[in-house]
Amino acid sequence: MRDNGTTTVRVRRPAVDNVIVVAELEELVLTPGERVRGVRVDSVMFRMDWTGEDHPGQLAAFVAGRVRAFGAEPTDVDTNALYHAAEADPTLRRGDFPVRQLDHLSGVLADLGCTLAVRDSGTDTYEVLVALTGERELTGLMHEGLPVRAWDSEPEETLVSLDCPNCSEMLVWQLSATQTLADERCDCGAALFDATGRPLPNVTLHD
C-alpha cells in the first residue's frame, strides 16, 4: 500500500513465474543503430491524450516514421480516411476517434511485420510504440515497471478505484485478470465488496 497523503493505492500484481519474455523491449522498438547510440525507449514513444491528437496526422506520422526506421515502406499508414468518415458520423463520442485510429493502424502494421504496442500506464494517456515483431507476439514485456502489450490484446491488469463511502478516502487497486476484490474493506473498516467481488450498494466505482 502506498499513501501520498491524499490517495491510497493498493497494488496487487499478478504472478509472473510462467511469463515468457519473447525479447527485450529495446530489441523490438529500437533499430540496431539506435541501440548502439544508446537511444532510449522513451524517445520512440508517442503520447496522446484520450481525446486525441494535438494536430491531425501526428499519430500516423509517428507510426510511419518508425516503420521507415525499420527499413520498410509505410504503405497506407495514415488516418485521413478515418477523419473524413468521422466528420459524417453523428454517433462519434469524445474519445472514440483515437480508438478508431489505433485500431486502424494496428491492422495496417500487422501487414508490415510490425505491431502497434501500448504501455499500460494506468492513466488516460495513450503511450504508443511500434515494435518490429514479424509474426511474434508481444508477451511479458515491461517498460519502467509497467506492462507493454499489443494494442489489440487484452490488458494484463485493470485498475479499480472508488471513494470510500465512510471516510471519503480514494482507493485504487491494480488487479490481474484472475484477481477479485472479494470482501475487501477500507482501512477505516468500511466494507466495500461482497464475497463475489461485487461492489456493495453504497459503493460507486469511478469510470
Side-chain angles (χ1 to χ4, degrees):
M1 182 172 68
R2 182 172 72 252
D3 192 341
N4 63 10
T6 58
T7 302
T8 299
V9 180
R10 297 173 180 175
V11 179
R12 297 178 178 181
R13 296 192 179 276
V16 296
D17 294 343
N18 297 323
V19 172
I20 299 175
V21 179
V22 297
E24 293 297 328
L25 181 64
E26 290 82 358
E27 295 178 359
L28 295 176
V29 302
L30 297 174
T31 68
E34 289 170 336
R35 294 200 301 273
V36 169
R37 297 195 306 273
V39 173
R40 295 174 57 86
V41 169
D42 280 351
S43 69
V44 294
M45 181 184 294
F46 180 82
R47 291 175 173 85
M48 178 174 67
D49 186 75
W50 71 277
T51 58
E53 307 161 296
D54 291 334
H55 305 288
Q58 283 182 314
L59 174 61
F62 161 76
V63 171
R66 292 312 299 162
V67 171
R68 288 193 185 94
F70 292 131
E73 181 57 35
T75 306
D76 297 327
V77 180
D78 66 65
T79 53
N80 295 332
L82 295 181
Y83 270 101
H84 293 313
E87 292 173 356
D89 186 353
T91 68
L92 196 68
R93 298 173 300 176
R94 194 172 185 225
D96 286 349
F97 188 64
V99 175
R100 293 187 184 183
Q101 288 178 291
L102 293 166
D103 285 343
H104 169 73
L105 292 171
S106 177
V108 171
L109 286 181
D111 295 332
L112 298 172
C114 297
T115 299
L116 189 71
V118 291
R119 186 175 82 142
D120 284 330
S121 62
T123 71
D124 60 5
T125 298
Y126 295 109
E127 299 186 350
V128 182
L129 292 156
V130 175
L132 183 63
T133 55
E135 296 181 355
R136 292 177 293 179
E137 295 184 1
L138 298 186
T139 305
L141 298 179
M142 306 285 288
H143 177 58
E144 296 182 347
L146 295 172
V148 174
R149 62 178 178 86
W151 165 253
D152 59 1
S153 66
E154 290 296 325
E156 295 180 4
E157 297 179 343
T158 58
L159 290 179
V160 178
S161 64
L162 58 89
D163 293 326
C164 175
N166 183 53
C167 69
S168 299
E169 186 79 6
M170 181 179 176
L171 304 171
V172 182
W173 293 265
Q174 190 168 351
L175 306 175
S176 73
T178 61
Q179 292 174 310
T180 71
L181 291 170
D183 296 321
E184 189 69 35
R185 292 176 174 269
C186 179
D187 287 342
C188 73
L192 302 173
F193 295 84
D194 65 19
T196 68
R198 293 186 179 184
L200 296 174
N202 62 332
V203 174
T204 301
L205 303 183
H206 297 157
D207 294 331

